[in-house]
Amino acid sequence: MAEPRLRVFVVDDHDLFRAGVRAAIGGEVDIIGEADDVDPAVEMIRERNPEVVLLDVHLPGGGGHRVVKEVHRTHPHIRFLALSVSDSPQDVVAVLRAGASGYLTKTATAHQVVEALHLVAAGHAVFSPQLAGFVLEAFPAVDPAAVDPDLDRLTPRQREVLRSIAKGYTYKETADALGVSPRTVETHVSEVLRKLQLTNRNELTRWAMDRGLG
Amino acid sequence: MSARGGGSSPIDETLRRVVVGFRLVAIVWMGALVGATLATDPEADHVLVGATYAIALAWTGVTVAHALHPRWFHHLAWIGLDGVVAIWVSVAPFVAHSQDLFFGGYPLSWLLLVACFAGPWPALVAAGLLATGQMVGSFGEVGRTATQVAGDIGGFTVAAIAFGWGIAALRRYDRERTEAQEALEEERAARRQAHDRAEIAAHLHDSVLQTLALLQQQPGDPRQVASLARRQERELRGYIDQIASAFSPSLRAALRHAAGEVEDLFMVRIDTVVAGDCAADGPLESLVQASREAMVNAAKHSGVDRIAVFAEVTASGVTVTVRDRGRGFDPADPGTGRGLAESIVGRMGRCGGTAEIRSVPGEGTEIELHLGRGNG
């Protein structure tokens, strides 16, 4: 207990859900503030400077991605973990492209959420199976010869890693199956997240535009 | 009434065709008259007649070529240049001392161009220019009576009025029709939206609100509450999947539906991840069936209550993986594999796909189904 507890800020427009989160993880992390919409969230996060923000992707004032963008403009060190019931890839990918470090569905257990918060705080990317599926969909597998050579796309190894995570395997199991270290798997996942955040051309742009993301 | 900025509406395209078509008819008509003049009129300046026809023919060629990339028909410079050729053609018979007015329909084809792309008043001005040419030209002519000249002038004027106002009316009619059609489409879209909204509202009322009412009646039974909530969530997700999917039936919705049925039947939890989507018809129906069988197998035999399903749709095929962390079995033991062999491997084989089963006793089972796309 000597170690200071992780300072977490919760952004969700549903009171009930915030109360649920407090009850579920409040014992293991410090919830230093809550907000229910984009503008108050940005203001309070800047003021309270949490380590990690647990963020709903759907907010009345413009979606979770706006919170990430606004906060990162002044406080780039604050990390974001997206949490949502949303099954829509566009919302989730929008938050990740804005700079969130991971995504969990609201069906995740309290233990999984706490674990993910710590991982994100330590600078790792957190890919739930659902997110791995979204990313595989966002970067379609195309014949590499047929595409723009400087297009940042997933390597076959990265796709393999994502497939394994999408199937519900942990990083460790994925590492064992691929014969690499869990650290390598993490590197792959972080690299995929980086690509997602940097890629704004061709395939991904078209994919996003098809889904009204622009 | 005035020249329009180079838009390319369907009516413009039609008018362009009419103008070019009329120009072609006019040049053929003029060709016949020029031929007759050359053959029967020794007084006429044959070189000038021939040169005039060559100019008209060349300009007609330019007109046809331009019609393929029609940007300049609206342009005042183009209309003017076309007019210079037409006015020259219309006065050439006088200059060449020809007995016959061999220009045929050529000047009219300019009037039509002006009427189509500049409007009725400019067409009237053009007719005035042509008429002036006829009057000036006929001063030196002895053979032509005032009535004949007046007839030519009248002909141009009547043509300008007929072309000009006829085409203006056509454009107005076309505009009104387009506007009416747009209004109709807007109204239809609005009605469709209202219908969709009503349908979604009705669906939510019948499903979610009913379930919430049920939940309020039995808050004391957590198992029942969880089961109801879970079933409602599944139903709602299925509904959203199908609404959101461009495919009907959607593979994503079909797989989720199958997973939901198995969850209900065996009280297990199936985490389903689907990357991509496509229509679940034909052989893909068998793939969904085989996937369901694999889920049933995992639910029945694995001994665990959590199953993971992952499906990936790519351009080349669809792969579905059904995985559990249950007790597993020895794939080499013929006794345990029989059910799988028939219900899954056999089914996939019949629809042209493959099934791969990996299992380790004590660690779990993974069944991977694959079906290529595009080759049946």
Side-chain angles (χ1 to χ4, degrees), chain A residues 85 87 107 129-130 133 136-137 141 159 163 166-170 173, chain B residues 237 252 256 269 272-276 308 310 312 321 323 325 366 368:
Chain A
V85 286
D87 254 353
T107 50
Q130 196 64 258
L136 279 171
E137 190 176 343
R159 295 193 79 85
R163 272 195 200 103
K167 287 174 191 170
Y169 288 110
T170 61
E173 287 168 323
Chain B
R237 280 192 196 283
R252 185 193 303 265
R256 289 239 178 99
R269 164 109 205 182
T272 311
V273 174
V274 184
F310 169 59
E312 190 182 16
T321 311
R323 189 185 63 81
R325 295 174 193 275
E366 184 180 306
E368 189 168 296

Side-chain angles (χ1 to χ4, degrees), chain B residues 328-350:
Chain B
F329 62 90
D330 180 3
D333 176 355
T336 48
R338 192 162 299 147
L340 291 175
E342 185 31 46
S343 64
I344 299 171
V345 182
R347 198 188 289 268
M348 287 309 292
R350 278 194 295 281

Side-chain angles (χ1 to χ4, degrees), chain A residues 164-175:
Chain A
S164 174
I165 294 170
K167 287 174 191 170
Y169 288 110
T170 61
Y171 287 6
K172 168 119 188 20
E173 287 168 323
T174 302

Side-chain angles (χ1 to χ4, degrees), chain B residues 152-169:
Chain B
D152 290 338
I153 294 168
F156 285 134
T157 313
V158 169
I161 291 171
F163 287 164
W165 273 271
I167 284 158

